[in-house]
């Protein structure tokens, strides 16, 4: 019995040592496979979908400790609506006001896990100089060796709904929906 207790104590000490030495890993966002999208109801006729074409940032992940952080910057001038005319319109003062606020940022405050699976990320979204807490619901998450980059990589999809009026971009609401669905497709390569 004493040997079993000693063996159990040694195993616990070894696991605690491994957990204490587990280091966070940093991943750099792959701009060619990362897109922030937004959609909204346009006068009830249709759901309009647009995206931003330039995103940069870093993700830090400690899977053993079930912690992490994300710091993302979106180039608001890279908005792509499918129409050059509307791209210019939506960059105006009534919406993104990219002349004054050329970037949109998201900085996490907490990663939330369900077992070993990343379930959501709490953080702060800043649009037009206004910062509000936004929780991203993670719909898929995977880390594994990247077959082409020959490095570890992580990818995720996440969603949230915000009210654009809370970010001083509510012109034409409620006819053009105040609720905006955000969808993020993110891939990042280990540094």
């Amino acid at each position: 019995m004493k040997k079993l207790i000693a063996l159990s104590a040694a195993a616990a000490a070894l696991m605690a040592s491994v957990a204490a030495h587990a280091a966070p890993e940093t991943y750099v966002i792959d701009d060619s496979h990362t897109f922030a999208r937004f959609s909204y109801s346009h006068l009830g006729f249709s759901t309009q979908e647009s995206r931003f074409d330039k995103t940069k940032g870093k993700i830090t992940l400690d899977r053993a400790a079930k912690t992490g952080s994300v710091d993302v910057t979106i180039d608001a001038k890279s908005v792509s609506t499918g129409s050059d005319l509307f791209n210019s319109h939506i960059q105006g003062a009534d919406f993104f006001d990219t002349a004054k606020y050329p970037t949109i940022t998201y900085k996490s405050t907490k990663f939330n896990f369900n077992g070993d699976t990343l379930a959501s990320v709490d953080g702060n979204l800043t649009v037009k100089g206004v910062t509000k807490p936004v929780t991203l619901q993670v719909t898929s998450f995977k880390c594994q060796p990247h077959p082409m980059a020959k490095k570890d990589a992580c990818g995720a999809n996440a969603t949230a709904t915000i009210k654009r009026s809370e970010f001083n971009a509510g012109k034409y609401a409620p006819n053009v929906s105040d609720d905006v669905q955000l969808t993020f497709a993110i891939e990042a390569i280990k540094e």
Side-chain angles (χ1 to χ4, degrees), residues 37 121 136-140 156-160 181-186:
R37 293 178 171 86
V121 177
L136 300 175
Q137 298 301 319
V138 178
T139 58
S140 69
N157 288 61
T159 64
Q181 176 79 31
L182 307 178
T183 305
F184 299 94
I186 298 172

Side-chain angles (χ1 to χ4, degrees), residues 21-119:
H21 290 90
E25 299 173 316
T26 301
Y27 298 81
V28 176
I29 287 179
D30 175 1
D31 187 37
S32 63
H33 292 95
T34 298
F35 296 98
R37 293 178 171 86
F38 60 97
S39 61
Y40 56 92
S41 173
H42 183 254
L43 305 171
F45 292 126
S46 64
T47 300
Q48 296 292 303
E49 297 182 1
S50 301
R51 75 178 195 189
F52 296 96
D53 289 334
K54 294 181 181 177
T55 305
K56 64 182 179 179
K58 290 189 177 184
I59 298 167
T60 302
L61 180 63
D62 187 333
R63 286 180 265 187
K66 296 182 182 172
T67 61
S69 65
V70 61
D71 188 348
V72 174
T73 300
I74 298 166
D75 179 353
K77 291 182 179 184
S78 74
V79 67
S80 178
T81 65
S83 162
D84 290 339
L85 180 62
F86 193 56
N87 289 348
S88 296
H89 176 65
I90 204 166
Q91 288 184 54
D94 291 330
F95 299 103
F96 291 121
D97 197 2
T98 60
K100 283 174 100 174
Y101 305 100
T103 61
I104 296 167
T105 61
Y106 184 81
K107 296 178 191 267
S108 68
T109 56
K110 183 180 179 191
F111 275 27
N112 304 297
F113 283 79
N114 182 2
D116 290 332
T117 304
L118 181 61

Side-chain angles (χ1 to χ4, degrees), residues 95-176:
F95 299 103
F96 291 121
D97 197 2
T98 60
K100 283 174 100 174
Y101 305 100
T103 61
I104 296 167
T105 61
Y106 184 81
K107 296 178 191 267
S108 68
T109 56
K110 183 180 179 191
F111 275 27
N112 304 297
F113 283 79
N114 182 2
D116 290 332
T117 304
L118 181 61
S120 64
V121 177
D122 298 332
N124 293 308
L125 177 67
T126 302
V127 180
K128 288 182 75 172
V130 177
T131 302
K132 297 280 183 185
V134 172
T135 297
L136 300 175
Q137 298 301 319
V138 178
T139 58
S140 69
F141 179 75
K142 182 178 188 176
C143 294
Q144 69 179 30
H146 193 289
M148 296 160 83
K150 306 296 183 204
K151 293 181 176 182
D152 286 345
C154 291
N157 288 61
T159 64
T161 300
I162 63 167
K163 292 202 176 293
R164 61 188 177 93
S165 60
E166 292 180 353
F167 294 92
N168 296 328
K171 187 163 186 170
Y172 304 123
N175 296 317
V176 176

